[in-house]
Amino acid sequence: MKLKKVIMSMVLAFVAFAIVGLGQVKAISNYRVVCDGELEIGTNGHCYLIALLENNETLHGVIATTVVEDLKIVGTNSGNSTTVAPTGVAIDGAKVGNTDYKCDAKAVGLSAGGVTISNPGIYACYGFISKTTENAIKKDYDSTMQASAPAATKGNTGYTILADFTVALSDDLANSNSSIEKCGKLCISAQAAANSTAYGMLAGTGTVCDEINLRVEGTPNPPTGSFVSYIVLVAGALIAIAAIAIAKKRNKFYRV
């Protein structure tokens, strides 16, 4: 009797493991985040979530948990608006879109690939979900986006862009004339759904990070234009005053 219970427990454990495995995708373990190299204050750039999709693997959706430092996420793009839609931002504890996945801020770490976030800003979750029950994310599922995103494709041959984050440097970052090296940072933890019913069984896959450097234009240029003209005028006036004073003294000398 005890043996039957043990066997039954083993069978149930195996079935549970197999079911959970249906919601996880091996290909997502090779994902990365790559950002534009430099960005000026007041302008927007891009950070891309990319992954290798092997063996004709397809996904129904991807959920990205993010944390930033000196950076703002101001928009998202699925990469193919006709088949996959961004769900919009979800805060910690809230469901992402109409899925069964609740945003978990602790799912994302603060360090990876030589990038460390020491002063974390906003944590959030973003979903990129197929518009139907059919899997819409596949290898190179938007070739147009692949071609127009050099930051993501450079040095990442064979990777597929899963998500595009439009970002901007935070308002309180040093101004563009600062000589101190500054950068905005983004860390992402991604979970992929193998089908439309797998969102309740997603597990974290680790963290990937990247950064965007503040574009420094160099030290201020020497005074030019009208300001220089004023300096010349003032200098000329001083010379004239000095010449008049000397002339007066000489005139008095000759009179004596």
Side-chain angles (χ1 to χ4, degrees):
M1 190 70 177
K2 288 184 178 181
L3 182 59
K4 286 184 178 181
K5 287 184 178 181
V6 171
I7 294 174
M8 193 58 121
S9 298
M10 291 176 65
V11 170
L12 290 174
F14 175 79
V15 171
F17 177 79
I19 292 174
V20 171
L22 291 175
Q24 299 177 357
V25 182
K26 292 180 180 180
I28 202 67
S29 62
N30 296 313
Y31 75 100
R32 300 176 183 175
V33 56
V34 288
C35 298
D36 292 335
E38 292 184 329
L39 193 61
E40 293 181 0
I41 294 291
T43 62
N44 293 339
H46 296 271
C47 290
Y48 301 93
L49 180 65
I50 64 177
L52 283 174
L53 298 181
E54 301 173 346
N55 302 321
N56 296 319
E57 191 96 59
T58 62
L59 307 175
H60 185 268
V62 174
I63 292 177
T65 306
T66 65
V67 61
V68 293
E69 179 178 1
D70 289 327
L71 199 68
K72 300 181 294 184
I73 296 175
V74 297
T76 56
N77 181 7
S78 67
N80 192 325
S81 60
T82 60
T83 58
V84 177
T87 61
V89 61
I91 60 174
D92 193 25
K95 284 189 175 183
V96 180
N98 61 354
T99 72
D100 293 325
Y101 182 82
K102 288 186 178 180
C103 181
D104 180 12
K106 295 178 181 178
V108 59
L110 300 177
S111 179
V115 176
T116 299
I117 290 180
S118 56
N119 184 27
I122 297 173
Y123 289 86
C125 292
Y126 298 84
F128 304 88
I129 312 298
S130 171
K131 290 185 176 182
T132 69
T133 58
E134 300 297 322
N135 286 8
I137 302 175
K138 53 189 178 183
K139 183 175 176 62
D140 295 335
Y141 79 100
D142 187 350
S143 58
T144 302
M145 185 176 181
Q146 293 280 142
S148 63
T153 56
K154 185 177 180 180
N156 295 297
T157 303
Y159 278 76
T160 294
I161 297 175
L162 304 176
D164 171 11
F165 294 89
T166 303
V167 297
L169 295 171
S170 62
D171 297 332
D172 56 356
L173 198 65
N175 64 52
S176 59
N177 288 326
S178 173
S179 61
I180 302 174
E181 185 175 348
K182 298 273 187 178
C183 59
K185 302 176 182 178
L186 169 66
C187 288
I188 298 177
S189 176
Q191 294 85 40
N195 55 64
S196 62
T197 62
Y199 292 95
M201 301 176 287
L202 298 179
T205 56
T207 296
V208 288
C209 305
D210 201 10
E211 60 188 14
I212 296 184
N213 293 321
L214 172 66
R215 183 173 295 162
V216 179
E217 298 297 338
T219 56
N221 295 324
T224 58
S226 60
F227 185 68
V228 172
S229 299
Y230 287 128
I231 293 176
V232 172
L233 289 173
V234 172
L238 291 174
I239 292 172
I241 291 171
I244 292 171
I246 293 172
K248 284 183 177 180
K249 285 184 179 181
R250 287 183 178 179
N251 190 33
K252 288 180 180 180
F253 176 77
Y254 287 121
R255 284 181 182 179
V256 174

